Amino acid sequence: MHELTITQGILSVVLEAAEAAGARRVRTIDLTVGTLTGYVDESIRFYFDLLSRGTPAEGAVLRIRREPGEGHCQTCEARFPVEPPVIPTCPFCGSPQIRITGGTRCVVERIEVEHGDEHSGCEGDPPGQ
């Protein structure tokens, strides 16, 4: 159910950006979703289709790019891939002093809108995270 809340935020960002750009319709939305968020792409698509009905974003194509998880050891300075479930120690030195540095974002990267017969892109803001 986390996807319902995040999708409401995504739609809000998209509609605000489209209105600010004077768009008639939203054509495509490029999202970056971190693998550590736990969000399921198909659930985001399902809720987006449901929530966008009757709005300028109805029928828009969601293009979702996955951002891999990454950790950084503050003891040995190693950087390493992280996948769920997160193991809270460095795989190189065993230190528990790790910081997650990638894979936790959910961001609207780009929105393509339609103004009558012309098309343009506009940047969105991160949805509440």
Side-chain angles (χ1 to χ4, degrees):
M1 279 295 241
H2 296 93
E3 288 87 350
L4 174 58
T5 302
I6 198 65
T7 306
Q8 288 170 327
I10 290 166
L11 181 59
S12 177
V13 166
V14 166
L15 293 176
E16 286 176 27
E19 183 179 347
R24 183 173 68 86
R25 184 170 95 86
V26 177
R27 296 176 52 85
T28 59
I29 301 156
D30 292 332
L31 300 176
T32 297
V33 179
T35 58
L36 300 179
T37 62
Y39 301 147
V40 177
D41 295 2
E42 290 310 310
S43 293
I44 292 172
R45 291 181 204 285
F46 171 80
Y47 286 122
F48 189 85
D49 288 345
L50 186 69
L51 295 170
S52 66
R53 288 183 188 156
T55 74
E58 182 174 5
V61 174
L62 288 179
R63 295 188 294 214
I64 301 174
R65 181 186 71 82
R66 282 291 173 165
E67 177 182 69
E70 181 182 76
H72 175 243
C73 178
Q74 296 179 347
T75 301
C76 73
E77 297 297 323
R79 293 196 179 276
F80 48 90
V82 176
E83 293 184 18
V86 176
I87 299 170
T89 58
C90 174
F92 297 99
C93 73
S95 171
Q97 299 297 316
I98 65 167
R99 187 168 43 99
I100 302 301
T101 57
T104 60
R105 301 181 320 139
C106 181
V107 180
V108 176
E109 296 285 352
R110 185 172 186 281
I111 303 165
E112 183 181 333
V113 297
E114 187 175 303
H115 297 99
D117 290 335
E118 73 181 78
H119 307 298
S120 67
C122 59
E123 299 298 318
D125 294 323
Q129 277 211 352

